[in-house]
Amino acid sequence: MIKQFKLKRNFYKQPTLNVAKNLLGKYLVHKSGNKILSGKIVETEAYVGPKDLASHASRGRTPRTELMFGEAGHTYIYLIYGMYYCFNIVTENKDYPAAVLIRALEPAEGFIEKNKKLINGPGKLCREMKIDKNLNGADLTGNKIWIEDRGEGVSNSKIIANKRIGIDYAGKYKDKLWRFYIKNNKFISKK
DNA sequence: CAAGAGATCATCT
DNA sequence: GATGATCTCTTGA
């Protein structure tokens, strides 16, 4: 039996940049039907507060972004470019919009060998993990989808901070070093 | 190898 | 009516 425990609500209430860093090395687990799909988180991005022009929430509360203003520890999933889903985790306090985008996973359980190669981008992640709109707003302290600590901490010296991807429209916020990934991990989406 | 375009639709103006 | 927190395929050097 692997030593493991599900992260609790308090974990997600930390400052978003800390959550983004602390998620590295944790395991995302999705119970799809009676199958378990899981992978180790190796890359994240933070979207923080109402002024972050890269964040959907910078345009104010709308039906879609309402979740980002909600309680920490829930999912925020949306369709991008008409074809791919992105999986986010809501952080911090109610009424303060913030979330962490999970960009890449190292496959663990539930993948047949040929699928085991690449989960190195948010769109592919959702495709391979079978995450879609049905899980939008799900509670990560529930038993459908959650995150586990398996005792594989990542030391600070192995965490790289870099610019976020695909947000050239975000003005001065596009250069924030709010993307985090594990050094030398081969599942990272981009250098 | 790098660069560019197309796919495709929910959401917001 | 425009656009995007992406990915894959095609082109051309």
Side-chain angles (χ1 to χ4, degrees):
Chain A
M1 195 64 185
I2 306 170
K3 183 184 175 187
Q4 58 192 52
F5 69 92
K6 193 181 295 187
L7 297 180
K8 299 191 173 57
R9 184 87 57 208
N10 276 345
F11 177 89
Y12 304 106
K13 288 187 176 176
Q14 302 174 84
T16 306
L17 296 184
N18 290 351
V19 176
K21 280 186 270 195
N22 291 337
L23 278 173
L24 297 175
K26 303 292 193 292
Y27 283 77
L28 173 63
V29 186
H30 177 203
K31 194 171 176 184
S32 176
N34 51 10
K35 278 190 70 174
I36 293 285
L37 294 168
S38 72
K40 181 159 79 172
I41 297 169
V42 298
E43 182 179 1
T44 62
E45 275 181 15
Y47 290 83
V48 187
K51 292 185 179 167
D52 179 1
L53 293 175
S55 170
H56 296 156
S58 66
R59 311 202 184 210
R61 279 179 117 117
T62 67
R64 176 173 66 156
T65 60
E66 187 62 28
L67 272 166
M68 287 187 73
F69 291 81
E71 187 179 36
H74 290 253
T75 64
Y76 167 50
I77 297 164
Y78 61 91
L79 185 68
I80 188 64
Y81 299 116
M83 334 180 73
Y84 298 101
Y85 290 103
C86 288
F87 177 77
N88 297 252
I89 296 168
V90 178
T91 59
E92 303 204 40
N93 292 319
K94 223 163 174 276
D95 297 320
Y96 183 79
V100 174
L101 169 69
I102 309 298
R103 289 189 60 87
L105 294 179
E106 189 175 317
E109 302 154 82
F111 300 97
I112 56 177
E113 200 58 35
K114 68 170 180 167
N115 272 348
K116 207 162 184 172
K117 43 187 180 184
L118 289 179
I119 307 189
N120 59 345
K124 287 192 250 182
L125 185 154
C126 289
R127 192 181 63 196
E128 301 301 329
M129 289 291 286
K130 303 210 190 312
I131 290 170
D132 63 21
K133 270 228 124 168
N134 291 323
L135 287 169
N136 193 24
D139 189 342
L140 289 166
T141 64
N143 57 12
K144 193 80 188 142
I145 185 165
W146 65 90
I147 293 178
E148 283 178 6
D149 187 337
R150 296 188 180 175
E152 297 180 34
V154 179
S155 67
N156 270 333
S157 63
K158 287 194 175 167
I159 297 178
I160 308 285
N162 215 326
K163 294 180 189 177
R164 291 176 290 178
I165 303 289
I167 51 155
D168 286 345
Y169 55 84
K172 63 181 182 181
Y173 281 87
K174 78 182 170 67
D175 293 325
K176 297 277 184 191
L177 301 179
W178 288 353
R179 180 164 72 103
F180 303 99
Y181 54 87
I182 299 177
K183 192 176 184 176
N184 293 332
N185 187 286
K186 61 183 172 182
F187 294 92
I188 301 310
S189 63
K190 298 190 175 172
K191 288 176 193 161

